[in-house]
Amino acid sequence: MGKFFKSQTLNIQIQIGAMKAKFPQFRYAYKDGKLTFIGELLIKPELPIYKVSVEYRGNLRPVVHVISPALVKDAKHVYTDGSLCLYHPKNFNWHGKKLIANEIMQWTIAWIYFHEYWLQSGEWIGPEVPHTKINENE
Protein backbone atom coordinates (compact mmCIF):
# COMPACT_ATOMS: atom_id res chain seq x y z
CA MET A 1 0.00 0.00 0.00
CA GLY A 2 1.47 3.34 -1.05
CA LYS A 3 2.00 6.28 1.28
CA PHE A 4 -0.92 8.25 -0.26
CA PHE A 5 -3.49 5.49 0.29
CA LYS A 6 -2.27 4.77 3.81
CA SER A 7 -2.52 8.43 4.86
CA GLN A 8 -5.91 8.78 3.12
CA THR A 9 -7.30 5.77 5.01
CA LEU A 10 -5.90 7.10 8.28
CA ASN A 11 -7.46 10.51 7.66
CA ILE A 12 -10.86 8.91 6.96
CA GLN A 13 -10.68 7.19 10.36
CA ILE A 14 -9.80 10.52 11.98
CA GLN A 15 -12.77 12.22 10.24
CA ILE A 16 -15.11 9.46 11.45
CA GLY A 17 -13.78 9.68 15.01
CA ALA A 18 -14.16 13.46 15.15
CA MET A 19 -17.72 13.29 13.84
CA LYS A 20 -18.63 10.53 16.34
CA ALA A 21 -17.26 12.67 19.17
CA LYS A 22 -18.92 15.96 18.22
CA PHE A 23 -22.02 14.84 16.29
CA PRO A 24 -22.93 11.35 17.53
CA GLN A 25 -26.35 11.56 15.86
CA PHE A 26 -24.63 11.36 12.45
CA ARG A 27 -24.08 8.03 10.75
CA TYR A 28 -21.52 7.42 8.06
CA ALA A 29 -21.11 5.27 5.00
CA TYR A 30 -17.89 4.57 3.17
CA LYS A 31 -18.49 3.18 -0.28
CA ASP A 32 -16.52 3.31 -3.52
CA GLY A 33 -13.90 5.57 -1.93
CA LYS A 34 -16.51 8.09 -0.78
CA LEU A 35 -17.18 8.97 2.87
CA THR A 36 -20.62 10.44 3.58
CA PHE A 37 -22.11 11.52 6.90
CA ILE A 38 -25.88 11.85 7.31
CA GLY A 39 -27.68 13.16 10.35
CA GLU A 40 -30.06 15.66 11.86
CA LEU A 41 -29.37 19.11 13.28
CA LEU A 42 -31.66 21.06 15.59
CA ILE A 43 -30.36 24.62 15.67
CA LYS A 44 -33.07 26.10 17.92
CA PRO A 45 -36.22 24.46 19.33
CA GLU A 46 -38.49 26.76 17.32
CA LEU A 47 -36.78 25.87 14.02
CA PRO A 48 -37.33 22.69 12.02
CA ILE A 49 -34.93 19.79 12.32
CA TYR A 50 -32.64 19.69 9.30
CA LYS A 51 -31.39 16.40 7.92
CA VAL A 52 -28.13 16.93 6.04
CA SER A 53 -25.51 14.92 4.22
CA VAL A 54 -21.84 15.82 4.19
CA GLU A 55 -19.52 14.20 1.68
CA TYR A 56 -15.82 14.18 2.54
CA ARG A 57 -13.76 14.35 -0.67
CA GLY A 58 -10.20 14.65 0.57
CA ASN A 59 -8.64 17.85 -0.73
CA LEU A 60 -11.75 18.85 -2.68
CA ARG A 61 -14.29 20.94 -0.78
CA PRO A 62 -16.79 18.88 1.22
CA VAL A 63 -20.25 18.78 -0.36
CA VAL A 64 -23.15 19.51 1.98
CA HIS A 65 -26.79 18.92 1.00
CA VAL A 66 -29.97 19.55 2.93
CA ILE A 67 -32.05 16.36 2.66
CA SER A 68 -35.01 17.78 4.55
CA PRO A 69 -36.85 20.05 4.80
CA ALA A 70 -36.78 20.81 1.09
CA LEU A 71 -35.11 24.12 0.34
CA VAL A 72 -37.17 26.81 -1.33
CA LYS A 73 -36.52 27.56 -4.99
CA ASP A 74 -33.76 30.15 -5.39
CA ALA A 75 -32.47 29.74 -1.84
CA LYS A 76 -29.48 31.94 -1.15
CA HIS A 77 -25.95 30.56 -1.06
CA VAL A 78 -26.71 27.26 -2.77
CA TYR A 79 -24.77 25.89 -5.76
CA THR A 80 -26.58 24.79 -8.90
CA ASP A 81 -26.28 21.14 -7.78
CA GLY A 82 -28.21 22.00 -4.61
CA SER A 83 -25.20 21.84 -2.27
CA LEU A 84 -24.62 24.60 0.25
CA CYS A 85 -22.12 27.38 -0.35
CA LEU A 86 -20.55 27.67 3.09
CA TYR A 87 -17.48 29.76 2.29
CA HIS A 88 -15.74 31.50 -0.56
CA PRO A 89 -12.59 29.65 -1.66
CA LYS A 90 -10.58 32.88 -1.65
CA ASN A 91 -11.35 33.33 2.06
CA PHE A 92 -10.79 29.76 3.21
CA ASN A 93 -8.55 27.06 1.83
CA TRP A 94 -9.94 23.59 2.49
CA HIS A 95 -7.59 20.60 2.52
CA GLY A 96 -8.31 17.02 3.39
CA LYS A 97 -6.58 17.04 6.76
CA LYS A 98 -8.97 19.63 8.18
CA LEU A 99 -11.80 18.15 10.19
CA ILE A 100 -15.34 18.28 8.89
CA ALA A 101 -16.54 18.21 12.53
CA ASN A 102 -14.58 21.39 13.34
CA GLU A 103 -15.04 23.47 10.22
CA ILE A 104 -17.78 22.32 7.90
CA MET A 105 -20.34 21.31 10.53
CA GLN A 106 -20.08 24.66 12.32
CA TRP A 107 -20.60 26.51 9.04
CA THR A 108 -23.51 24.22 8.14
CA ILE A 109 -25.17 25.05 11.47
CA ALA A 110 -24.62 28.76 10.83
CA TRP A 111 -25.93 28.45 7.25
CA ILE A 112 -29.15 26.83 8.53
CA TYR A 113 -29.65 29.61 11.08
CA PHE A 114 -29.04 32.34 8.47
CA HIS A 115 -31.30 30.52 5.99
CA GLU A 116 -34.16 30.32 8.48
CA TYR A 117 -33.75 34.01 9.33
CA TRP A 118 -33.75 34.85 5.60
CA LEU A 119 -36.93 32.80 5.06
CA GLN A 120 -38.72 34.82 7.75
CA SER A 121 -37.27 38.29 7.14
CA GLY A 122 -35.98 38.33 3.56
CA GLU A 123 -32.58 39.44 4.89
CA TRP A 124 -29.41 37.31 4.87
CA ILE A 125 -27.59 38.22 8.09
CA GLY A 126 -24.65 35.88 7.56
CA PRO A 127 -21.34 36.87 6.03
CA GLU A 128 -21.39 37.33 2.26
CA VAL A 129 -18.68 37.97 -0.28
CA PRO A 130 -19.52 39.36 -3.70
CA HIS A 131 -18.07 36.95 -6.23
CA THR A 132 -18.44 35.63 -9.70
CA LYS A 133 -19.32 32.04 -10.53
CA ILE A 134 -16.72 29.66 -9.12
CA ASN A 135 -15.93 26.08 -9.94
CA GLU A 136 -18.25 24.03 -7.73
CA ASN A 137 -15.80 21.11 -7.73
CA GLU A 138 -13.06 23.02 -5.97
Side-chain angles (χ1 to χ4, degrees):
M1 181 180 285
K3 183 178 177 183
F4 171 78
F5 294 110
K6 188 173 184 179
S7 67
Q8 183 68 8
T9 302
L10 178 61
N11 198 42
I12 286 170
Q13 293 303 317
I14 292 169
Q15 294 288 348
I16 292 168
M19 283 295 286
K20 280 183 177 180
K22 290 192 172 191
F23 298 93
Q25 75 275 29
F26 274 70
R27 301 295 174 245
Y28 72 91
Y30 183 71
K31 186 174 180 181
D32 300 326
K34 183 167 86 170
L35 177 61
T36 304
F37 297 97
I38 296 177
E40 294 180 337
L41 295 169
L42 176 60
I43 309 307
K44 292 177 72 174
E46 61 270 20
L47 297 179
I49 294 172
Y50 274 70
K51 186 173 186 178
V52 300
S53 69
V54 182
E55 182 183 331
Y56 171 73
R57 306 183 316 155
N59 287 326
L60 296 175
R61 75 168 175 87
V63 175
V64 180
H65 282 96
V66 171
I67 298 170
S68 65
L71 296 180
V72 297
K73 185 180 180 198
D74 297 326
K76 292 186 71 102
H77 303 288
V78 175
Y79 289 115
T80 56
D81 69 354
S83 65
L84 307 184
C85 179
L86 302 175
Y87 62 88
H88 191 281
K90 290 185 179 177
N91 294 340
F92 178 75
N93 185 23
W94 172 263
H95 61 75
K97 291 188 179 180
K98 291 185 178 187
L99 294 175
I100 286 173
N102 288 349
E103 311 267 358
I104 300 305
M105 292 304 296
Q106 303 309 318
W107 290 342
T108 300
I109 290 166
W111 186 96
I112 291 169
Y113 178 81
F114 299 143
H115 177 73
E116 283 291 325
Y117 188 92
W118 172 75
L119 287 174
Q120 294 179 24
S121 71
E123 177 187 7
W124 186 270
I125 60 170
E128 292 183 288
V129 176
H131 57 279
T132 57
K133 181 102 170 117
I134 62 169
N135 181 353
E136 295 177 5
N137 293 319
E138 290 180 354

